[in-house]
């Protein structure tokens, strides 16, 4: 017989195992990812609902920029700066955050490395539309209302954005290592947050996979809403 105490203990262990900070720290300790970071100045960005927790697991960095939902308590480690965006519909704060992220990436050197920590909500929290913001919101909302799949929706977002579909990674002279959390086992990495650092070269890659040209992808699984 499973008692309440046993059930609560198991639930506590599961929640602890899914903690974004813990999962990021574990991923960074893996030989494959550690080798990609070794010998380089480490910078970091974190975007999404789990951005603060993921930043806490990133370890020592030169500088970091986290974009979180408005009103989120943001007790970040040293050398992190925080900006607020809005979810699920981007506004001027999201656009400002997108511009800051693009500038942060462009300011890196080829011998640096950028750790990109992406989680649910990143699609709207940071944006740089290539059209007027109200037009961007209207088009994306119409596509969503028409019942488009997440992949079709992301195709539209990528076409109308200067930082989605891997374009944020392409803004960086430095290599980018991406860790992403998702609520869907096997989720494609380019789906999570509309893939700001995961471009078409990794289309078909799934949560749990790694690799790509221009950046490196990895996934840290967690029950978290997009």
């Amino acid at each position: 017989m499973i008692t309440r105490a046993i059930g609560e203990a198991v639930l506590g262990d599961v929640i602890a195992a899914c903690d974004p900070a813990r999962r990021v720290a574990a991923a960074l300790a893996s030989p494959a990812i550690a080798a990609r970071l070794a010998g380089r100045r480490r910078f970091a960005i974190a975007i999404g609902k789990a951005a603060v927790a993921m930043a806490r697991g990133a370890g020592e960095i030169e500088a970091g920029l986290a974009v979180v939902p408005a009103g989120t308590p943001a007790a970040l480690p040293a050398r992190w700066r925080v900006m607020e965006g809005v979810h699920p519909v981007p506004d001027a704060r999201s656009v400002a955050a997108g511009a800051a992220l693009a500038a942060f990436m462009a300011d890196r050197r080829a011998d640096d490395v950028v750790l990109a920590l992406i989680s649910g909500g990143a699609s709207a929290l940071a944006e740089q539309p290539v059209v007027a913001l109200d037009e961007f919101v209207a088009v994306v909302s119409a596509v969503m209302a028409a019942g488009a799949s997440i992949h079709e929706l992301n195709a539209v977002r990528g076409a109308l954005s200067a930082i989605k579909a891997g374009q944020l990674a392409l803004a960086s002279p430095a290599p980018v290592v991406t860790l992403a959390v998702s609520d869907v086992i096997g989720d494609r990495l380019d789906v999570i947050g509309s893939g700001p650092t995961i471009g078409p070269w990794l289309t078909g890659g799934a949560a749990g996979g790694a690799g790509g040209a221009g950046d490196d992808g990895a996934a840290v699984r967690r029950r978290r809403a997009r």
Side-chain angles (χ1 to χ4, degrees), residues 56-157:
R56 290 175 184 154
E60 186 174 347
I61 61 170
E62 297 290 331
L65 175 58
V67 180
V68 305
T72 299
L76 288 164
R79 299 183 179 179
W80 280 89
R81 177 166 66 101
V82 65
M83 295 185 71
E84 292 187 342
V86 179
H87 174 78
V89 179
D91 70 1
R93 288 169 289 182
S94 302
V95 174
L101 285 166
F104 183 92
M105 299 294 272
D107 200 35
R108 307 283 65 88
R109 301 187 324 216
D111 56 349
D112 294 334
V113 65
V114 178
L115 181 62
L117 308 173
I118 311 299
S119 59
S123 294
L125 289 172
E127 190 52 270
Q128 276 288 279
V130 297
V131 296
L133 178 60
D134 57 352
E135 181 180 353
F136 176 90
V137 170
V139 171
V140 171
S141 298
V143 172
M144 189 180 302
S149 69
I150 186 62
H151 304 295
E152 293 168 330
L153 182 60
N154 279 350
V156 173
R157 285 172 172 157

